[in-house]
Amino acid sequence: MGCAHGKCCGHRPRSSDSDSREFQEVSQFSVHGKHILTERSIECVPVPSRNFRLEYSVLTQRGYYPYSPGKENEDSFCIRTQVQGNPNLHFFGVFDGHGLFGAQCSNFVRDRLVDILANDPRLLLDNPANAYSSAFVRTNHELHDSEIDDTESGTTAITVLVVGDKLLVANVGDSRAVIALKVGDRVLAEDLSSDQTPFRRDEYERVKLCGARVLSLDQLDGLKDPDIQTWGDEESAGSDPPRLWVQNGTYYGTAFTRSIGDSKAEEIGVIADPEVSTVQLTPDHLFFVVASDGVFEFLSSQAVVDMVASYPDPRDACAAIAGESYKQWLAHGNRTDDITIIIVHVKDLRNVPMLQGQQP
């Protein structure tokens, strides 16, 4: 469908199964001085009920694994515009798989979650958050019942559903969505989601009540006192964050407290119930970013927003963030994580009141 302004629309991939481009070296983010992504047109979609548009680009990049050269990209993404045939309903999601069958779990959730949403008539009724939560839980049950072995594999899911001039955000795991807010001459990052890890006291207490032991690897190996149940924050903990273990066992070792899949870890409190929130867009909201933790492992939300704000073209911003993420990973070790980034610019949104009876 053509863009309302007729200048930025092109064919777009529906999801990451149609985007197999991979860089040959971790530092190769340009060809002859040009970003690889500039070969792709900027995608856009109008939101006619509010007379603004979304311009977006996406990058998914396999990690650098020198000891596992055949390891596949376990990240995936889904972009679906006009969900339920509604021109004001658009879905953006990133899924970060883990475990032996992480890629299969990620791809399964990528495909099924949005399909379930697209077929739920409750999505545009009084409480769309209930439909969103139900879609996550149903996807989790379907993954358990599928041919994929998700006993010790699963995926995170960070999703943003644009509903007119509102964002409905649903998150499971430690991937993240961030929005940029213009305040005077500054552009500030505001997290749209909260990483679900044992660093959060509420998540820590929830999984402890479910029977989980929470220990870092050094604590598990007896190198640090296991009775000290504080680990600072994600930045200070470095490469040894607190993880979830069964009592008197050395599994499952998840550094997150929520996931789709991971059926065995459900016994220690790893759940697929998303945290859902709603954000009212204003003209001061410039763009939002949906990305896997391959980006946010070493880059703060503000650093990511600063990088996007410095590039008028979201394709260039995607490539720059991926390059900086790789650089930071390799500065801390000899490999990188898979990296997926969706950047969505909010264009020409104005404060126009909704007419009575008008649908989002």
Side-chain angles (χ1 to χ4, degrees), residues 290-311:
V290 186
S292 61
D293 73 336
V295 171
F296 293 108
E297 182 73 19
F298 298 110
L299 297 180
S300 68
S301 298
Q302 187 62 55
V304 169
V305 162
D306 289 344
M307 293 184 73
V308 177
S310 67
Y311 291 93

Side-chain angles (χ1 to χ4, degrees), residues 262-273:
D262 292 290
S263 59
K264 286 291 188 180
E266 288 179 354
E267 67 185 73
I268 55 172
V270 177
I271 59 176
D273 300 66

Side-chain angles (χ1 to χ4, degrees), residues 21 34 60 98 108 118 126 151 156 161 165 189 224 243 250 254 291 313 330 342 352 356:
R21 178 182 289 117
K34 178 186 290 187
T60 186
H98 52 263
F108 180 93
D126 291 339
T151 53
T156 69
L161 184 69
D165 59 355
K224 291 184 178 179
R243 298 174 180 270
T250 57
T254 68
D313 189 325
L330 293 176
I342 301 173
V352 179
Q356 186 173 2

Side-chain angles (χ1 to χ4, degrees), residues 16-34:
S16 49
D17 58 356
S18 60
D19 191 338
S20 60
R21 178 182 289 117
E22 179 170 317
F23 302 119
Q24 298 303 307
E25 299 177 10
V26 297
S27 61
Q28 187 179 345
F29 285 93
S30 64
V31 175
H32 306 304
K34 178 186 290 187

